Amino acid sequence: MDTITALIAGEKVASGGAPIAIIDPATDTLVAELPEADDATVDRAVLAARRAFDDGSWRFMPVEARQAVLRRCAELIEASADTLADIECTNTGLPLAQIRGRSVLRAADNFRFFADYIGQATGRLYEQHPDYLTMVRREPVGVAALISPWNSPIALGSMKVASAIAFGNSCVLKPSEQAPLGISKLVELLGEAGLPEGVVNLVNGRGATTGDRLIRHPEVDLVSFTGGTPTGRVIMRTAGELLKPAEVELGGKSANIIFDDADFEAALDGALLGIFTNNGQQCLAGSRILVQRGIADRFIEAFVERARRIKVGDPRDPATVIGPMVSQRHMQHVLSFVPGSAAEGELLTGGCRAGDTGAYVEPTLVRAADRDARLFQEEIFGPFAALMVFDTDDEAYALANHSRFGLVSYVWSQSLQRIMTAQERIQAGTVWCNTPMMRELRAPFGGWKESGIGGDGGLECEAFYTRAKTVSIPRRPLQLRKLGA
Ligand code: NDP
């Protein structure tokens, strides 16, 4: 497989850095050895982005031309959808059908969405002052460092690139060292879209080395990060020290509240989709299922029965729902949450590795012993749901909010009154009512509490990737005081 250490101003660059093994988690075989982008390579990438920004060929391009390039990016992604999905599947173990049907299309949508958005962006004008007009313009910030995670590399990495460049910035993307192949291929494709050289660059390597070097680079002006909460703290600390604007989209442990008046089948379907899609490796997974006592036994029985029938296996098999975890190490992490005693919880189904080869985990449901159980509080990031039963609505909200995370939440009820109360009481950046994940790109998507600061969305990305400039102009000749006259 073709491996890319870095893509700088359209050129594939080899680097002398340490080799990183890229493993297919379905078969435990080595797919590629990727030399890490060393300091000199990071410098080169950032300087290419700087030149592309400073020469103005992208940010001053007429908006219609910029929109056309972004739309061409989307077309190129769609034209290579099969190849991209194939590479992403090999590198991540995510089911091919889910990548092809969701992530790759989402990547193309990301470019189209921002192409449309910039065509309608406006400034502000203040004309209340009798002598002056004051306009507020928004300009791109400069060179963006974009750091993305491994759990959905193409969808998440493309979101960062599309939003950064749409507003006229240039960027250097560093994907996760564990899953760089699909997104590297995607960035390579963008080279044919008509982007001026150096607008989009890529460096591969480990976070603590390549990523850290990138963020600290003096020519990097802003930082966008998606990943785990512990890393987010490090990024915010570094960005804060250097006074660089940063947004961090972090982990979750999202509550899925099922009231006893819910449409039972829909809530069951939603709960299964919420925890088992994307191999359970989703920031927005509904990983804490809260079910009301009146329907709890029936719900648990039905969930367990359905979970046991879910096909775990070869991610290329169209019937597969859950492929392998991204690595053996991550599989061990997921399995480490299986309760060893009743003090932690009761295993209702799953809890074991599936097969001897590949990092497969059975779909798992555990009834947590109490709300402070580790498995009810920490992000497991796999096909592993923790469940608790509640009696009253207030108890459901208390359980849902008893978390340091606040990314999303799900609520199921046929009472409009209950839904309206629930969406107010739940502490999370997004509340999905009677539906599994529904991504509205126009609306903000970002976490509360330790799930992040800032996030995606039309206005939100515009606010982050541009900065305001206030320009005041006299309406008529001014009579200025003549100092020293
Ligand atoms: P990590 O935090 O481990 O890594 C994320 C990225 O940061 C990777 O590219 C990583 O590189 C890099 N990185 C690590 N350390 C540093 C550092 N010191 N400086 C700069 N970059 C660094 O997250 P994962 O990749 O494990 O992703 C899973 C996490 O992402 C989960 O917690 C999940 O909830 C969260 N996530 C949040 C989303 C949201 O929208 N809120 C969406 C998707 C995922 P490398 O891997 O090469 O070390």
Side-chain angles (χ1 to χ4, degrees):
M1 190 167 284
D2 190 16
T3 56
I4 306 167
T5 293
L7 253 168
I8 302 176
E11 194 190 326
K12 287 185 191 178
V13 175
S15 173
I20 297 168
I22 309 291
I23 309 287
D24 176 349
T27 57
D28 299 333
T29 51
L30 185 73
V31 182
E33 281 217 322
L34 194 74
E36 174 164 78
D38 57 13
D39 290 357
T41 311
V42 174
D43 288 352
R44 226 178 117 183
V46 173
L47 294 178
R50 178 90 262 157
R51 272 193 302 279
F53 185 76
D54 289 347
D55 81 13
S57 54
W58 177 239
R59 64 184 159 129
F60 296 131
M61 188 182 276
V63 71
E64 289 79 9
R66 214 159 3 115
Q67 288 177 298
V69 173
L70 293 168
R71 293 191 178 116
R72 180 84 189 116
C73 290
E75 286 160 13
L76 288 164
I77 291 167
E78 281 166 352
S80 294
D82 290 335
T83 309
L84 289 169
D86 184 61
I87 298 172
E88 185 97 317
C89 178
T90 302
N91 196 170
T92 61
L94 295 170
L96 185 65
Q98 291 180 30
I99 304 171
R100 182 68 181 79
R102 221 170 59 127
S103 307
V104 180
L105 300 183
R106 175 57 204 290
D109 279 352
N110 289 339
F111 283 91
R112 285 211 181 89
F113 172 76
F114 284 104
D116 292 345
Y117 186 92
I118 58 171
Q120 298 296 321
T122 58
R124 274 144 65 192
L125 179 72
Y126 294 97
E127 45 185 339
Q128 288 90 342
H129 196 290
D131 299 329
Y132 286 93
L133 288 179
T134 292
M135 59 183 172
V136 182
R137 301 181 41 254
R138 299 207 69 92
E139 293 186 2
V141 183
V143 176
L146 310 175
I147 313 249
S148 59
W150 53 258
N151 64 307
S152 191
I154 284 180
L156 299 173
S158 64
M159 182 62 165
K160 294 212 177 297
V161 172
S163 51
I165 67 172
F167 295 103
N169 301 284
S170 54
C171 68
V172 181
L173 172 70
K174 194 213 79 70
S176 167
E177 95 205 38
Q178 294 188 70
L181 300 185
I183 185 71
S184 298
K185 182 71 190 169
L186 186 148
V187 170
E188 194 186 336
L189 291 173
L190 302 185
E192 295 160 34
L195 284 161
E197 261 181 21
V199 172
V200 179
N201 308 277
L202 170 121
V203 289
N204 278 318
R206 288 165 296 163
T209 50
T210 308
D212 187 61
R213 173 83 178 182
L214 176 60
I215 293 168
R216 289 181 186 276
H217 199 290
E219 294 297 334
V220 161
D221 300 304
L222 74 169
V223 179
S224 171
F225 169 82
T226 300
T229 296
T231 319
R233 283 185 212 285
V234 175
I235 305 277
M236 282 308 259
R237 208 175 296 134
T238 309
E241 208 176 280
L242 300 169
L243 285 179
K244 298 186 184 191
E247 57 116 17
V248 291
E249 300 173 42
L250 309 176
K253 187 78 179 175
S254 299
N256 186 359
I257 305 175
I258 303 168
F259 287 111
D260 54 11
D261 65 352
D263 174 333
F264 186 86
E265 278 303 311
L268 177 64
D269 291 343
L272 290 156
L273 285 165
I275 187 61
F276 296 133
T277 307
N278 215 57
N279 291 352
Q281 299 167 155
Q282 292 201 99
C283 56
L284 45 76
S287 51
R288 288 187 301 147
I289 299 176
L290 310 177
V291 59
Q292 198 156 16
R293 194 168 307 278
I295 54 164
D297 289 346
R298 184 174 158 221
F299 179 87
I300 291 169
E301 193 185 323
F303 187 99
V304 167
E305 195 194 320
R306 295 268 297 272
R308 286 185 180 149
R309 289 211 301 261
I310 284 175
K311 182 165 166 46
V312 179
D314 178 2
R316 288 171 189 285
D317 181 340
T320 290
V321 175
I322 301 177
M325 301 295 91
V326 73
S327 64
Q328 290 280 335
R329 208 178 88 202
H330 189 57
M331 177 187 76
Q332 296 303 345
H333 165 82
V334 173
L335 292 174
S336 76
F337 285 89
V338 175
S341 72
E344 294 168 72
E346 179 194 356
L347 182 63
L348 298 171
T349 191
C352 291
R353 181 179 181 184
D356 301 327
T357 311
Y360 294 94
V361 173
E362 293 174 343
T364 300
L365 181 68
V366 172
R367 186 169 180 158
D370 60 56
R371 65 183 202 164
D372 291 316
R374 192 174 78 99
L375 61 89
F376 198 72
Q377 287 300 325
E378 289 185 25
E379 188 179 39
I380 300 174
F381 221 55
F384 189 128
L387 178 140
M388 282 192 77
V389 176
F390 65 89
D391 288 296
T392 65
D393 293 24
D394 281 345
E395 202 185 332
Y397 306 134
L399 281 174
N401 294 337
H402 184 67
S403 170
R404 58 196 179 89
F405 297 109
L407 188 58
V408 307
S409 182
Y410 306 79
V411 54
W412 301 83
S413 164
Q414 296 191 84
S415 154
L416 180 59
Q417 186 66 53
R418 234 171 181 176
I419 291 286
M420 290 309 290
T421 305
Q423 58 82 22
E424 269 180 23
R425 298 279 302 272
I426 292 165
Q427 296 165 1
T430 296
V431 182
W432 282 306
C433 307
N434 293 325
T435 177
M437 193 263 261
M438 182 278 155
R439 198 65 167 80
E440 165 57 83
L441 292 184
R442 281 163 281 249
F445 183 80
W448 288 18
K449 303 199 272 188
E450 293 186 21
S451 288
I453 297 175
D456 294 329
L459 287 167
E460 287 66 28
C461 288
E462 182 180 0
F464 182 69
Y465 286 109
T466 61
R467 53 189 164 187
K469 181 177 275 177
T470 298
V471 181
S472 293
I473 305 174
R475 292 172 182 236
R476 53 190 66 86
L478 292 180
Q479 300 299 314
L480 297 180
R481 283 170 57 213
K482 296 193 175 300
L483 299 182

